[in-house]
Amino acid sequence: MCLGVPARIVAIADAGRMLAVADILGVRREVNISCIADPDAPLTDEIGRWVLVHVGFAVSRVDEAEAQATLDMLHQIGEAEGERGHLRASLLA
Amino acid sequence: MKFVDEFRDPAQVRALLARIGRLVDRIGGTRDRPVTIMEICGGHTHAIFRFGLHRLTPEGLEFVHGPGCPVCVLPMARVDDCVELAQRPGVLLTTFGDAVRVPGTRGSLLQAKADGADVRIVYSPLDALELARRTPGREVVFFALGFETTMPATAAAVLQAEREGIANFTLFCNHITVPPPLRALLQDPDMRLDGFVGPGHVSMVIGTEPYRFIAEEFHRPVVVSGFEPADLLQSVAMVLEQIAQGRAAVENQYARVVRPEGNPRALALMDRVFEPRDRFEWRGLGEIDSSGMRMRERYAAFDAERKFGVGYGAGRARPAPESDGCRCGDVVKGAMKPPACPLFGTACTPQSPVGALMVSSEGSCAAYHQYAGLREAAE
């Protein structure tokens, strides 16, 4: 439960609710970006950026190399498939 | 060293292992009297076993698996309260996948579901809120649990529910915080820990400052770590380095993700919605002061304990005894290794867990059960 999963923001879903669409392990779903979005820039600037997502919430920004390293580790420890299963089963996927 | 070649950077791992070996020798750790380092986070425990790090490191070093798996430390009484909530007419109970299998004294949420309760697994508290939007005739309760990594997400769901005036959404709040159980462990006279590997993703939210008391009051080193094998080994080497030099400080190996101040916006969200309870019970550790969170009075309408009169909201603090023979408490304190428990692998397995540490893959008993024998079998 304490793993953050790297995700790439691909669109803004609902600016009022601070929801973006993120690609997480190949599954697209809405994530809340209120804690990582730059308050002085338009939300669309977030598109293309990498974040660490935990239970549908972006907790930290990460660079692409860090994201890739974490994704590799998730695959190695066998967590990636389980996480993808949770994502697919979720309502907003 | 046989499996070092499997790592992404074998040369780096080999160099780190050599450095760890030299440091353990310098400190004087032996098989009979090893240097003990607790990894606090269940994700680290899982990674240590999965990558076999406990076998690659010298005999004079011992990993002690800490209380950092929120599913594992959830007490039976809270599971019982949750089962009771799920069985109420009109309630739709939502939670994370890990939480549905935790045994209470009268079974788990999964068993309650099999008996007809409406229990649904969600990926995020925001999904539970969406269910509340879609089913206005039902009381959607989200069984919230997790450390500081998870808390900002549940806080955000409550604030969103308030903004939208969603009246059929509540939290059954079981959020817990990392520092208080560490203080409890350090105050335990039987405690025998020489240093700590600090959690990476909790620290992403809270920063490194909250661990300062471990170094200053208890003179033990803490190194916040990432999750790669090389991260973990480097963190262990940094802890050993401090011990060898007679120092105790908080250091940050995971600086590429964790900032000293954490995430101030996430902290503000949490603080708006939650406040510490006086005490909260931990499975295996008993009640610990200021270790659990509850919802602030302002959000009473979204608090399942107040709305439905369960748990602490019903004035009930009724510690439920653990199952006979279960030694999870000793394992969490580092006083016993999982295979020494009389139930390990027989009465208690991942398929049919008796104790909490067997429930989640992050629990040390489950990790031992899943991985401990694999490397020997491969050899």
Side-chain angles (χ1 to χ4, degrees):
Chain A
M1 275 194 55
C2 65
L3 285 176
V5 182
R8 194 162 166 268
I9 295 181
V10 294
I12 300 301
D14 183 336
R17 288 183 187 158
M18 297 297 276
L19 292 176
V21 177
D23 183 306
I24 314 174
L25 297 162
V27 179
R28 292 195 171 199
R29 67 150 290 148
E30 289 180 359
V31 297
N32 182 304
I33 56 167
S34 60
C35 279
I36 55 100
D38 181 349
D40 300 321
L43 276 186
T44 46
D45 282 8
E46 301 299 327
I47 295 169
R49 288 180 172 162
W50 285 87
V51 292
L52 275 185
V53 172
H54 180 68
V55 296
F57 196 87
V59 194
S60 178
R61 214 184 268 295
V62 284
D63 64 36
E64 194 168 350
E66 172 65 25
Q68 208 48 59
T70 308
L71 285 171
D72 288 351
M73 191 210 62
L74 288 174
H75 284 291
Q76 268 187 294
I77 66 173
E79 289 288 316
E81 201 44 56
E83 195 68 23
R84 211 179 276 131
H86 289 312
L87 282 160
R88 289 206 176 108
S90 82
L91 293 159
L92 307 179
Chain B
M1 304 283 271
K2 200 171 170 185
F3 297 94
V4 170
D5 290 340
E6 293 171 7
F7 294 119
R8 185 208 313 273
D9 189 346
Q12 192 193 6
V13 168
R14 221 171 253 123
L16 282 166
L17 287 168
R19 191 169 139 211
I20 287 170
R22 284 194 299 273
L23 285 163
V24 168
D25 284 347
R26 208 166 114 202
I27 297 164
T30 62
R31 182 183 193 155
D32 294 333
R33 206 173 172 77
V35 184
T36 52
I37 296 182
M38 172 177 274
E39 84 281 357
I40 298 160
C41 166
H44 283 157
T45 304
H46 190 60
I48 284 167
F49 280 101
R50 177 63 185 88
F51 294 117
L53 303 185
H54 60 304
R55 294 198 189 292
L56 294 172
T57 44
E59 279 184 344
L61 171 72
E62 188 181 324
F63 287 107
V64 177
H65 319 300
C69 165
V71 172
C72 303
V73 295
L74 192 68
M76 288 220 183
R78 299 295 284 181
V79 179
D80 289 348
D81 288 335
C82 202
V83 167
E84 191 187 317
L85 263 178
Q87 288 167 336
R88 293 204 184 184
V91 166
L92 195 168
L93 196 114
T94 55
T95 191
F96 301 127
D98 295 8
V100 297
R101 294 175 57 239
V102 193
T105 58
R106 296 189 295 272
S108 65
L109 281 170
L110 207 54
Q111 284 158 327
K113 184 179 169 74
D115 294 339
D118 196 349
V119 177
R120 301 198 204 171
I121 293 171
V122 291
Y123 170 73
S124 162
L126 296 168
D127 294 351
L129 183 60
E130 177 62 19
L131 258 178
R133 274 189 207 105
R134 290 182 191 181
T135 51
R138 303 286 300 279
E139 285 290 343
V140 175
V141 180
F142 180 63
F143 179 26
L145 73 169
F147 287 102
E148 290 94 333
T149 331
T150 320
M151 247 186 271
T154 38
V158 170
L159 294 173
Q160 189 64 41
E162 185 194 37
R163 272 193 295 272
E164 293 181 39
I166 296 176
N168 64 327
F169 176 73
T170 52
L171 285 192
F172 180 51
C173 181
N174 290 272
H175 283 305
I176 45 179
T177 54
V178 162
L182 298 181
R183 180 178 286 280
L185 284 172
L186 285 160
Q187 285 170 336
D188 186 332
D190 297 331
M191 197 279 306
R192 45 176 207 103
L193 300 169
D194 297 308
F196 292 89
V197 169
H201 292 144
V202 159
S203 307
M204 196 161 71
V205 174
I206 69 173
T208 54
E209 198 59 21
Y211 310 117
R212 186 187 283 268
F213 75 95
I214 300 172
E216 291 186 351
E217 286 178 46
F218 295 95
H219 313 292
R220 303 292 201 288
V222 184
V223 177
V224 170
S225 178
F227 292 85
E228 284 274 331
D231 286 333
L232 278 160
L233 293 175
Q234 192 186 3
S235 301
V236 167
M238 288 165 75
V239 171
L240 293 170
E241 201 90 60
Q242 287 196 44
I243 298 171
Q245 293 168 0
R247 288 192 303 124
V250 182
E251 294 177 340
N252 185 7
Q253 183 276 338
Y254 203 28
R256 59 189 194 272
V257 172
V258 171
R259 316 223 176 297
E261 71 281 10
N263 184 325
R265 274 189 273 170
L267 287 168
L269 268 183
M270 283 157 54
D271 184 56
R272 226 170 119 187
V273 176
F274 302 114
E275 63 185 359
R277 299 175 193 265
D278 291 340
R279 282 180 302 284
F280 193 71
E281 191 199 346
W282 292 57
R283 195 182 286 223
L285 294 176
E287 289 204 317
I288 300 175
D289 290 351
S290 306
S291 63
M293 305 301 278
R294 66 176 175 197
M295 299 175 72
R296 291 187 184 276
E297 184 64 37
R298 171 177 176 159
Y299 301 101
F302 302 99
D303 182 353
E305 289 191 64
R306 287 173 169 114
K307 189 167 182 178
F308 299 101
V310 296
Y312 290 91
R316 273 183 302 177
R318 42 173 180 116
E322 293 302 316
S323 308
D324 282 348
C326 174
R327 303 291 295 274
C328 280
D330 290 329
V331 175
V332 165
K333 283 189 228 170
M336 177 189 263
K337 290 286 177 192
C341 172
L343 307 184
F344 180 83
T346 52
C348 186
T349 63
Q351 290 70 40
S352 179
V354 174
L357 296 180
M358 195 61 98
V359 173
S360 156
S361 66
E362 290 174 12
S364 46
C365 292
Y368 252 92
H369 197 272
Q370 191 176 357
Y371 298 118
L374 289 184
R375 298 270 152 171
E376 288 90 338
E379 284 172 38

